[in-house]
Amino acid sequence: MVLNTLAVGAAVTPTVLETYFSHYLNRKPLREKPTAHLSYYEGLQLVRRFLHYASLHTVDDLQDFTAQWVPVPHWVMVEEVAIPALNITRSAQLVQEQLGHRGIDKVGGKLWWQWRRDEAPLKAEWIEMRKDHQERQRTGDKGQRVMLYVHGGAYYFGSVDEHRYQMQRHARKLRARVLAPRYRLAPQFPFPCGLHDCLAAYLWLIEQQDPSTILLAGDSAGGGMVLSMLVILRDRGLPLPAGAILISPWVDLTHSFPSVAGDGQYDYIPAHGFWHRPNMTWPPPNSQDMEAIAQSAVQKLVNVEKAALHAHERGRRKPAHETKQEQEEEEAIRSFSVGPNPGDMHTGEKRHHPFSTEGLGKARPDNSIPGAGTELSVLLDGNLVEMHDQIQVYTTNQMLAHPLVSPVLQPSLGGLPPLLIQVGGGELLRDEQIYLAHKAANPSAYPPGEAYLDEHDPHRELVSKYEPTDVQLQVWDDLCHVAPTLSFTRPAKYMYRSVAQFGAWALAQAQRAPIDILDDDDVSVISSGSEPQNSTDKDFKDHEPDSDGRHTIATAPIVARNIATPVDAVGKAGDALPAYHDHMIRQRIDRHGAIYPLSPPNELPALQMRAADIGIIKPGPVRKWLAAKTKWDSRFAREKRAVQTQRIKEMAAGYDRFEGDEVPPPTALAGRRKKDMPREPKQRRGWGLSMWSGWGSKHDEMALGREEKAKATRRPSVITVDPARSRSHAEHQLPEAAAHAPPTLAAEAPDSAAAARTREAIAASADSTPPTPAPGPRVPGTDHTFLAPSSSRPHNGTVAYPFSLAAPAQPNASTTSLTSDAGADGGAGPAPGAEAVGADAADGNAAGARAVVEDGKVLDAAEPAKRPQPQTFVTASEGVSVVRNLT
């Protein structure tokens, strides 16, 4: 059974067909979820089925499949670069400094993770729209918009080729260049190999670009890696980028938050974690295997197998010692032990029991704190379960709670550039991401437990050292983990649009310069309505609240507070962000791009946890893990025992060693080097990922055609410039920043002519009062739905709905179902839960003024008919003033 295009196609085709028919046969339960869109439902089930099928194969098989060559669309320009050795060496020094002596000891040394197979260079790939590349070539410009993107894949699978269709969309919507490092993957290259590579890529990048032109971005494991990179840059005094975008970041490898204990109904990630057919790569030898090597037990294991075989042939009753040996064999295959609770034992029994923690000074009978002992253990149903096998592919059990592995356990996440954190409301990792956002925005309110502070911040200096980080948190109703993976679906398109909006805003603030971007309404299929709905509830009934007036996310109490009408809609590149309140923009977004206020912190389960409980192994996830392990061990018992025996023999024979006291983790290829080691296999070509990538790229190809047509009637882009945040980017860099900035860029005057013109326009309009636009003509057959002049998008006098009308003069199901009781005045007043926009000035943290740039010039700020005035905002419909929710 191989993992190739033909085999995968045969495995997933029944699922695709079954999903297609069940989608229409079960329309009612799907109606109010993202699965109402057929494309989303098909994509979710397809990825879920693929991951299950991949679990029946080895880690190497999955790595090879997801690393296949994928053809590049003709309208995309790619260029491969090699990161210089000087940057790689400097990155290693920074990682060592951040780890410290104790961290280096836990990792196993400071040399093995710098080793590269076949002395291969570290490579990265530039991704850019070909037309943008050609324009830069003509002007000789390096570009003022660069995104360093770290792909996800649980740290052990995935590739730049596999993720290119996602990166090219970010490049298109932001008109940016994307740099994607091809970092080394676990388990062959565990922590900190990948972090070392990605940090080296950033060090090289800031030699080419001013940091104010750079955004960091990553999804899943890549998001966690980006966060660790930012912390290292902050602590080591290096230049920080303009901002960072974290898409479903994986930031707690201990799985200590409530949502991980769920069943994953709306997610494609297996609720029990990732499992694979055993081979020489994974799983590694566990503690019992290592003990067997120390006792020179290879021959003993062989004799046990022979004795068991003779006993079976003779059919006789086995002696007691043989039965005990077989029990040990079974436990070695099972790789976890079940014993009594030491708390229920007498003192003498505790002292001699293998599970006892007496004398270690612990207040708890288990060892559920990673790093506190050699083996993790947890109490289940009154029994103490000790886990011998490595749980996560990325690193050893002892390193799971290290702040560079699980960034949610950092002493502080303050002092970072502005963050956009996108969370799937239905994903298993939801709670840790919500907690992460609040921790960054309010570091003093969410410190780690005392046990982690004692180790990583013993003098309590870091926990209160840094100012809060500005965070935009978006929780997307019922969406899965990294929903942009399903880039062909409607909800994902809104997420890409939101990333572009935040990215353009962050770059404009860092550079103090306008960002000129084509109005997305001209080219997006979301706006034009040219894309079929693929939805079973085309009347958009899920805009209505539940029977109790509340909107729910999955099964957790993440709800809008009795608000039936959205307070805003997802913006686009060039739109201003809402005002920050206590350093946060807290949004809950449905699958149509409508924005509601997120529930207050006291209603979010993630924020009710005690600090001491974060980073602690919980019984719920362990129970699911053990159930799956029992099933996998039974299915692959023979393969696992054969692999373990072979590994023991090889390790007893010896490998090439590093100088000094280097002890690489058991999975590390660096610790299993041999003179006759085969070379790394070449990248193979297959058409499975090519078809998936083509499916995901279709939207971009269509949008590029519309973009060419839109140039003839191009509308001016709205540029966000916040005087309170638009100081020179170098002013908030830490000491080493100047040493790493390119001399040509660092020497440039921060006050460019364009920035000066922008400030003049802002000053000219600062005292003007924004006019209140007329609601416009009412859509026939509705009460509170209007059309703005020269627009096909309806609005309720406050918010423009995220869709267009094919025939504006005629009512349809969408306008009928969206008509809500907004008030006696026909909906012209503020949405429930929103404050007047005039409050921005008193808040002290206003969203900032706006200027309009057309053909490189700032238009006269005093012309209200041509551009939006300060404290107003143009969204999907021209001339509709949006009331921003300040909570």
Side-chain angles (χ1 to χ4, degrees):
M1 185 171 56
V2 295
L3 190 66
N4 56 29
T5 301
L6 184 61
V8 170
V12 303
T13 297
T15 300
V16 172
L17 296 176
E18 179 184 352
T19 302
Y20 181 83
F21 289 107
S22 66
H23 182 264
Y24 289 102
L25 294 175
N26 300 282
R27 280 183 269 185
K28 189 172 182 178
L30 299 176
R31 186 180 63 184
E32 297 180 357
K33 305 295 180 183
T35 46
H37 299 284
L38 177 59
S39 59
Y40 180 89
Y41 194 35
E42 287 276 20
L44 179 68
Q45 297 297 333
L46 192 152
V47 175
R48 183 180 291 167
R49 176 58 184 167
F50 169 77
L51 290 176
H52 172 75
Y53 184 70
S55 68
L56 305 179
H57 296 76
T58 67
V59 164
D60 300 81
D61 291 336
L62 179 58
Q63 289 177 337
D64 290 344
F65 185 84
T66 56
Q68 292 180 86
W69 169 84
V70 175
V72 180
H74 65 87
W75 34 269
V76 175
M77 180 72 182
V78 300
E79 178 186 359
E80 193 168 69
V81 295
I83 306 301
L86 185 63
N87 300 116
I88 297 174
T89 301
R90 176 58 178 147
S91 173
Q93 294 172 350
L94 295 173
V95 172
Q96 292 173 23
E97 293 172 6
Q98 193 73 16
L99 285 172
H101 294 298
R102 296 187 64 180
I104 291 175
D105 289 341
K106 283 189 174 183
V107 165
K110 54 185 178 181
L111 296 178
W112 67 262
W113 44 271
Q114 300 185 49
W115 174 81
R116 298 178 184 277
R117 187 174 184 177
D118 305 329
E119 299 182 354
L122 170 59
K123 295 183 178 180
E125 182 175 286
W126 282 113
I127 303 170
E128 186 178 15
M129 294 296 101
R130 186 172 294 276
K131 63 179 182 60
D132 294 336
H133 173 78
Q134 293 170 347
E135 183 178 344
R136 284 194 313 100
Q137 291 296 100
R138 287 193 298 269
T139 60
D141 182 19
K142 286 188 175 182
Q144 299 302 304
R145 282 164 268 181
V146 174
M147 176 184 288
L148 191 155
Y149 193 100
V150 182
H151 72 78
Y155 292 106
Y156 76 95
F157 67 93
S159 66
V160 173
D161 287 76
E162 181 202 31
H163 279 70
R164 189 184 295 120
Y165 74 96
Q166 300 176 48
M167 301 179 199
Q168 69 195 27
R169 182 168 299 185
H170 291 305
R172 178 183 66 80
K173 296 188 79 68
L174 197 56
R175 292 191 63 194
R177 305 169 69 197
V178 175
L179 181 69
R182 295 185 181 273
Y183 64 91
R184 292 168 293 170
L185 299 176
Q188 300 93 328
F189 296 96
F191 173 84
C193 295
L195 179 61
H196 173 214
D197 291 351
C198 294
L199 186 59
Y202 179 80
L203 294 178
W204 174 80
L205 185 57
I206 60 176
E207 293 178 350
Q208 320 302 315
Q209 299 277 156
D210 189 278
S212 66
T213 67
I214 300 172
L215 296 168
L216 295 188
D219 64 86
S220 189
M225 193 103 74
V226 164
L227 196 58
S228 293
M229 290 169 59
L230 290 173
V231 170
I232 293 177
L233 296 172
R234 179 200 67 184
D235 291 351
R236 300 301 116 196
L238 295 171
L240 292 167
I245 298 154
L246 310 179
I247 305 171
S248 296
W250 187 17
V251 292
D252 177 28
L253 273 69
T254 67
H255 288 333
S256 60
F257 284 87
S259 60
V260 183
D263 59 5
Q265 178 183 359
Y266 301 109
D267 206 358
Y268 54 73
I269 294 180
H272 50 64
F274 292 102
W275 290 96
H276 290 281
R277 187 187 188 99
N279 75 335
M280 295 293 289
T281 298
W282 180 265
N286 55 42
S287 58
Q288 293 181 335
D289 294 331
M290 302 299 289
E291 183 179 356
I293 295 173
Q295 298 175 352
S296 302
V298 175
Q299 187 60 45
K300 177 181 176 181
L301 290 175
V302 174
N303 292 336
V304 169
E305 293 176 357
K306 290 181 178 179
L309 179 61
H310 289 307
H312 178 73
E313 292 175 349
R314 293 195 305 268
R316 62 180 178 82
R317 182 179 180 86
K318 302 177 184 65
H321 70 278
E322 290 189 13
T323 303
K324 183 178 180 180
Q325 290 171 341
E326 290 181 354
Q327 290 176 348
E328 293 176 350
E329 282 288 294
E330 180 181 353
E331 189 171 288
I333 295 174
R334 186 176 60 187
S335 299
F336 65 89
S337 306
V338 180
N341 182 351
D344 298 333
M345 301 169 61
H346 297 294
T347 303
E349 294 175 323
K350 291 182 183 179
R351 186 176 297 110
H352 301 289
H353 197 273
F355 298 106
S356 176
T357 58
E358 185 176 356
L360 297 180
K362 296 182 180 180
R364 53 195 307 151
D366 59 358
N367 180 29
S368 55
I369 303 178
T374 57
E375 299 286 3
L376 287 176
S377 59
V378 65
L379 286 173
L380 287 180
D381 303 324
N383 294 318
L384 188 67
V385 178
E386 188 174 66
M387 292 163 282
H388 306 300
D389 264 4
Q390 182 172 319
I391 297 176
Q392 304 287 8
V393 179
Y394 184 41
T395 190
T396 61
N397 293 349
Q398 287 68 43
M399 289 295 295
L400 289 179
H402 192 280
L404 291 180
V405 174
S406 295
V408 76
L409 292 169
Q410 283 285 347
S412 172
L413 290 174
L416 303 180
L419 303 177
L420 168 64
I421 302 177
Q422 292 187 327
V423 182
E427 66 173 299
L428 288 168
L429 306 183
R430 178 193 62 221
D431 285 350
E432 64 193 66
Q433 298 161 16
I434 293 175
Y435 183 90
L436 169 75
H438 289 80
K439 178 183 175 75
N442 192 356
S444 60
Y446 300 97
E450 292 296 321
Y452 293 112
L453 283 176
D454 289 343
E455 180 173 0
H456 302 289
D457 189 19
H459 302 296
R460 305 303 191 265
E461 297 174 347
L462 296 175
V463 72
S464 58
K465 180 178 180 179
Y466 300 104
E467 294 294 322
T469 299
D470 289 337
V471 180
Q472 181 180 10
L473 171 64
Q474 296 181 332
V475 182
W476 295 74
D477 283 5
D478 300 315
L479 289 189
C480 62
H481 183 65
V482 193
T485 299
L486 310 178
S487 64
F488 43 83
T489 65
R490 180 173 295 268
K493 293 170 185 175
Y494 283 113
M495 297 184 79
Y496 280 105
R497 174 178 281 197
S498 186
V499 168
Q501 178 190 15
F502 174 86
W505 173 87
L507 290 169
Q509 303 308 315
Q511 298 174 29
R512 294 201 304 169
I515 298 293
D516 184 23
I517 295 180
L518 182 66
D519 193 329
D520 198 53
D521 278 344
D522 292 325
V523 299
S524 174
V525 294
I526 303 176
S527 305
S528 68
S530 60
E531 181 193 51
Q533 289 286 333
N534 283 337
S535 173
T536 57
D537 59 334
K538 296 180 182 179
D539 58 353
F540 294 88
K541 289 183 180 178
D542 70 339
H543 271 281
E544 300 174 1
D546 295 337
S547 58
D548 61 353
R550 300 162 71 89
H551 289 72
T552 61
I553 293 182
T555 57
I558 302 177
V559 298
R561 299 176 62 80
N562 300 318
I563 295 178
T565 303
V567 297
D568 204 348
V570 170
K572 56 186 181 296
D575 289 347
L577 293 184
Y580 282 90
H581 182 70
D582 292 333
H583 300 280
M584 289 197 77
I585 301 171
R586 305 172 73 256
Q587 299 174 322
R588 174 189 158 270
I589 307 177
D590 68 14
R591 63 190 177 90
H592 301 298
I595 298 176
Y596 304 84
L598 187 63
S599 297
N602 61 4
E603 293 185 13
L604 300 177
L607 305 182
Q608 310 313 309
M609 294 182 63
R610 298 185 307 128
D613 290 333
I614 298 173
I616 304 298
I617 304 296
K618 302 296 193 302
V622 171
R623 193 184 306 276
K624 295 187 295 182
W625 184 82
L626 291 178
K629 182 170 183 55
T630 301
K631 179 180 178 181
W632 250 253
D633 287 345
S634 174
R635 183 166 188 168
F636 299 114
R638 180 179 299 178
E639 290 89 339
K640 181 174 182 180
R641 186 67 266 173
V643 167
Q644 288 180 331
T645 301
Q646 181 63 26
R647 287 288 297 271
I648 291 174
K649 291 179 180 179
E650 285 192 6
M651 295 181 73
Y655 296 110
D656 293 343
R657 295 186 176 276
F658 289 91
E659 297 180 359
D661 299 327
E662 299 287 313
V663 184
T667 66
L669 192 61
R672 297 185 280 122
R673 296 178 303 155
K674 296 188 297 183
K675 293 181 179 179
D676 58 346
M677 177 181 292
R679 299 182 65 85
E680 187 173 5
K682 294 183 178 180
Q683 186 182 36
R684 62 189 177 96
R685 300 193 175 197
W687 297 106
L689 289 184
S690 299
M691 290 186 291
W692 177 265
S693 178
W695 195 9
S697 300
K698 183 179 178 181
H699 170 79
D700 297 289
E701 188 171 13
M702 297 168 61
L704 284 172
R706 294 186 183 91
E707 186 172 326
E708 293 300 320
K709 297 179 181 178
K711 284 183 178 180
T713 57
R714 179 169 179 165
R715 290 185 291 177
S717 54
V718 181
I719 305 301
T720 306
V721 181
D722 185 349
R725 301 180 55 89
S726 62
R727 64 187 183 276
S728 173
H729 189 72
E731 291 179 11
H732 69 272
Q733 297 295 345
L734 294 172
E736 257 190 82
H740 291 266
T744 55
L745 292 174
E748 292 177 0
D751 294 333
S752 64
R757 289 195 301 270
T758 300
R759 286 195 297 277
E760 291 173 3
I762 295 171
S765 61
D767 299 328
S768 60
T769 302
T772 302
R778 180 181 288 105
V779 176
T782 66
D783 295 328
H784 311 309
T785 303
F786 309 93
L787 284 176
S790 304
S791 175
S792 61
R793 281 200 169 186
H795 66 92
N796 66 356
T798 300
V799 176
Y801 296 126
F803 60 87
S804 301
L805 299 182
Q810 299 296 328
N812 62 18
S814 297
T815 55
T816 301
S817 65
L818 278 175
T819 301
S820 59
D821 297 330
D825 59 351
E835 301 177 17
V837 293
D840 281 357
D843 182 85
N845 195 11
R850 284 85 171 158
V852 176
V853 177
E854 185 174 18
D855 298 330
K857 299 180 180 179
V858 179
L859 300 182
D860 186 358
E863 298 180 10
K866 294 185 178 180
R867 68 171 195 87
Q869 295 295 311
Q871 298 180 342
T872 66
F873 177 77
V874 173
T875 179
S877 181
E878 279 291 333
V880 179
S881 178
V882 173
V883 178
R884 288 292 187 187
N885 175 51
L886 302 181
T887 60

